[in-house]
Amino acid sequence: MAAEIVNPRSDSTAGHEGAEEPFDPAFALHRGGKMAVQATVPVRDKDDLSLAYTPGVAKVCSAIAEKPELVHDYTWKSNVVAVVTDGTAVLGLGDIGPEASLPVMEGKAILFKQFGGVDAVPIALATTDVDEIIDTVVRLAPSFGGVNLEDISAPRCFEIERRLQERLDIPVFHDDQHGTAVVTLAALRNAARLTGRTLGDLRAVISGAGAAGVAIAKFLLEAGLGDVAVADRKGVVSRDRDDLTPVKRELAELTNKAGLSGSLESALAGADVFIGVSGGTVPEPAVASVAPNSFVFAMANPNPEVHPDIAHKYASVVATGRSDYPNQINNVLAFPGIFAGALQVRASRITEGMKIAAADALAGVVGDELSADYVIPSPFDERVAPAVTAAVAAAARAEGVARR
C-alpha cells in the first residue's frame, strides 16, 4: 500500500463544496484522503495478467489451501495491520462516530508506513457493541498480520483488547494504552538516569484513569517503578472507595502502596513524577509541592495539564504531548516499530517483555546526548524505528512467541 498525498486542492473551497471561506491547508491536504492502494507488481500485458490473476493465481491459492502458513509468504498478510476504531474516543474530540474518525485512522495508517514500513488499512466500524466489534474483527482477521485498536473508549477498550487477544493468534495492540505507556517509560528511564536515580526510587502520580492512565500505571509498575497513585475525577483511586468500576478496583489493588486518598493535588505533595493523561488543569500550588528534581509529563493536547512555563519552575524534566516543546511523548515513536518487529518474526502476540524492550530501545537512542530537554528522541530520528523493531523482534524470540 502506498501512503501518499492525493493532489490536494488549494482553492478557497477546500473546506466544503461551495463554501466561501479562507484557504485552510488542513482541508486542502485531506481532500481525496491521505492514502491509496498501489500495486507492487506490474500488469502490462497478458503474460503479467495471467500471473497476477487467473490462471496463475490459482496455483498460489491451492498451495495456501494445502498449507495455510504459506499465506504469509505469498500475500501481503505478513506486513499489513488493521487500524480498527468505533469512533468513540477520537483524539481530544470524544465520541464523534466512525465516519468522522476516518481522517485520524488514515493518518495512523500513513504513520505506520512512513515510520515503520508497515502497510495499514483504516477500518471504522458502525457499532459500539463490544460483542459486535470483537466478532467483526475476528472475521476480518484472516486478511491481516496484526490489529491496532484505536480511539475506542474506556472501559470497553480493555475488554475488547483482552478478548481479541484470546481469540486471535496475531498481535492485537490498543495503541492508546500501550503506545503511550511505552514512550512514557522510555522518557522516564532517561529522566531518572539524568538525575542519578532508578525507576525504583520514584513515586509517581497519574492524572487520568482512562485507557492511557491505567495502562501507564500497570506498565511502569511492571518495569520496576517504586510506587504510583492514579487519580480520576473523584480523587485518588484507592481501596477505600466504594464507587470504583471493575477496572479501577483492579487498579486499586495494584497501585498506591503509600495508601494515599483524597485529591490529586494532595497526592502530588512530595511526588517525584506527575503524569497527565486527562486534560484539565493542575493548580500551581499543587505543582509547587512536588519533590526536588521532579518530572512533569503533562501530555494532554492541545493544553497540557501543567503549562511548561509553570512546570519548569519546579521540575527538572518537563515533557508534553505537543511538538512545539521539547520532549514530546508521541506514540509514533513506538507503534510502527513494535508492529514491524512483531510482524518480522510473525509473533502470535505482543508481550509485556516486547513492550519493555521497545521502551528500552527507545531510551537508548538518546544515549550520551541526554539532557533535560532531550530525554526522548524525535519521531523523525531515523534511528528510532530500526532500534525498536530489532528490540521487539529479539524479545519475541526470547519469549517464545515468534514463529520464524
Side-chain angles (χ1 to χ4, degrees):
M1 175 179 294
E4 56 189 27
I5 304 303
V6 184
N7 296 325
R9 285 175 53 175
S10 59
D11 58 38
S12 63
T13 64
H16 305 282
E17 290 294 342
E20 294 296 331
E21 57 185 56
F23 168 77
D24 187 321
F27 281 101
L29 183 141
H30 282 80
R31 181 165 294 281
K34 299 192 292 284
M35 56 189 296
V37 173
Q38 178 175 298
T40 60
V41 298
V43 185
R44 299 163 299 196
D45 52 36
K46 66 177 184 179
D47 292 333
D48 289 343
L49 183 60
S50 69
L51 287 174
Y53 201 53
T54 186
V57 72
K59 298 177 183 178
V60 181
C61 292
S62 297
I64 295 171
E66 292 179 10
K67 194 175 181 182
E69 59 267 30
L70 291 178
V71 69
H72 295 282
D73 297 312
Y74 295 110
T75 72
W76 77 339
K77 180 182 175 78
S78 63
N79 196 55
V80 66
V81 171
V83 180
V84 179
T85 189
D86 63 357
T88 55
V90 181
L91 296 179
L93 303 174
D95 185 356
I96 60 175
E99 289 86 359
S101 76
L102 267 177
V104 177
M105 301 310 117
E106 287 183 4
K108 197 79 172 189
I110 66 173
L111 295 179
F112 265 111
K113 189 67 173 180
Q114 175 73 25
F115 293 102
V118 174
D119 290 320
V121 177
I123 298 176
L125 302 178
T127 180
T128 60
D129 181 84
V130 168
D131 291 331
E132 289 182 357
I133 291 171
I134 292 167
D135 288 343
T136 300
V137 174
V138 168
R139 290 185 174 97
L140 289 170
S143 296
F144 299 98
V147 175
N148 183 94
L149 300 173
E150 189 74 20
D151 293 348
I152 298 173
S153 62
R156 297 155 51 255
C157 60
F158 303 114
E159 180 181 359
I160 290 169
E161 183 188 48
R162 176 183 57 79
R163 288 172 57 187
L164 283 173
Q165 288 171 338
E166 292 170 352
R167 292 182 62 177
L168 298 176
D169 66 346
I170 58 175
V172 178
F173 184 86
H174 185 209
D175 186 51
D176 301 307
Q177 295 182 58
H178 310 300
T180 307
V182 165
V183 182
T184 301
L185 174 59
L188 191 57
R189 279 206 193 284
N190 276 338
R193 179 163 69 95
L194 181 69
T195 56
R197 290 177 286 178
T198 67
L199 289 181
D201 298 324
L202 305 176
R203 178 174 74 85
V205 176
I206 298 176
S207 175
V214 170
I216 291 170
K218 291 181 176 180
F219 191 55
L220 293 182
L221 289 173
E222 179 78 17
L225 186 72
D227 192 16
V228 58
V230 182
D232 62 12
R233 291 183 180 88
K234 296 181 180 180
V236 174
V237 175
S238 59
R239 295 179 183 181
D240 60 358
R241 282 178 51 179
D242 59 6
D243 61 344
L244 300 179
T245 64
V247 169
K248 292 180 183 178
R249 279 200 298 273
E250 179 191 9
L251 190 65
E253 294 297 322
L254 296 172
T255 62
N256 194 18
K257 289 187 290 188
L260 302 175
S261 60
S263 67
L264 166 73
E265 290 80 4
S266 64
L268 277 175
D272 303 293
V273 186
F274 168 76
I275 297 171
V277 283
S278 66
T281 301
V282 179
E284 184 170 350
V287 182
S289 72
V290 297
N293 288 321
S294 62
F295 317 136
V296 170
F297 292 5
M299 297 186 283
N301 267 318
N303 299 312
E305 294 88 349
V306 182
H307 192 279
D309 291 346
I310 293 175
H312 277 296
K313 293 181 183 180
Y314 311 104
S316 297
V317 177
V318 176
T320 72
R322 290 174 51 148
S323 60
D324 54 346
Y325 290 105
N327 297 326
Q328 184 190 18
I329 308 296
N330 190 329
N331 287 19
V332 76
L333 288 162
F335 69 82
I338 289 173
F339 269 98
L343 293 173
Q344 184 181 96
V345 297
R346 295 181 190 167
S348 58
R349 58 194 176 95
I350 294 171
T351 66
E352 291 300 296
M354 291 161 71
K355 291 184 287 185
I356 288 175
D360 290 347
L362 186 54
V365 170
V366 171
D368 294 337
E369 301 170 71
L370 180 65
S371 71
D373 283 344
Y374 186 55
V375 297
I376 199 75
S378 162
F380 297 100
D381 188 323
E382 295 182 355
R383 299 171 295 173
V384 167
V388 174
T389 299
V392 169
R397 291 191 178 102
E399 299 206 339
V401 298
R403 289 177 287 196
R404 74 169 181 184

